[in-house]
C-alpha cells in the first residue's frame, strides 16, 4: 500500500493568479482615485531649504514637535527612573 502523498497530484485552480475580473465589478478602477505621486514629487523636490520631513507645512511641523517633545520627555523620565533606582532604600 505505501504512504499516501500529502500534496494532491493534480494542480488546483489559481486563487490569486487570475486576471479575470470578479463578476459584478465595473471594468474601470474608479475606486483607486487619482495618482498623486507626480504632485508630491514636485512638492518634495522643490529646493526651498526645508528638510524633507517638514516640506508639507503645518501638519509636518506639529508631528515633528510632538515627536521631539515625547522623545525628550521620555528621556527625562528614564533618567529620573534610573536615578531613583540607584538610590539605596531607607530602612
Amino acid at each position: 500500500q505505501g504512504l499516501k502523498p500529502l500534496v494532491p497530484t493534480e494542480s488546483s485552480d489559481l486563487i490569486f493568479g487570475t486576471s479575470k475580473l470578479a463578476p459584478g465589478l465595473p471594468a474601470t478602477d474608479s475606486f483607486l482615485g487619482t495618482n498623486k505621486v507626480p504632485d508630491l514629487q514636485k512638492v518634495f523636490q522643490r529646493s526651498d531649504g526645508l528638510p524633507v520631513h517638514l516640506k508639507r507645512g503645518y501638519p509636518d511641523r506639529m508631528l515633528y514637535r510632538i515627536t521631539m517633545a515625547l522623545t525628550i520627555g521620555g528621556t527625562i523620565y528614564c533618567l529620573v527612573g534610573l536615578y531613583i533606582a540607584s538610590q539605596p532604600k531607607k530602612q
Side-chain angles (χ1 to χ4, degrees):
Q1 282 181 332
L3 298 173
K4 294 181 182 179
L6 295 175
V7 180
T9 54
E10 69 242 4
S11 64
S12 61
D13 294 332
L14 291 175
I15 297 173
F16 298 108
T18 60
S19 62
K20 294 184 277 185
L21 292 175
L25 288 179
T28 60
D29 292 331
S30 62
F31 59 89
L32 294 177
T34 59
N35 187 6
K36 297 179 184 177
V37 172
D39 299 330
L40 291 175
Q41 283 177 340
K42 289 177 188 173
V43 169
F44 287 116
Q45 291 176 354
R46 188 174 31 197
S47 62
D48 53 3
L50 287 174
V52 172
H53 61 276
L54 297 176
K55 288 267 187 180
R56 293 182 64 185
Y58 183 74
D60 284 347
R61 282 184 289 178
M62 288 308 299
L63 284 172
Y64 177 75
R65 290 177 182 166
I66 290 170
T67 303
M68 286 297 110
L70 288 173
T71 302
I72 293 169
T75 303
I76 292 171
Y77 183 74
C78 287
L79 291 174
V80 168
L82 284 172
Y83 177 76
I84 291 172
S86 68
Q87 301 300 316
K89 292 183 179 181
K90 297 179 181 176
Q91 295 179 1

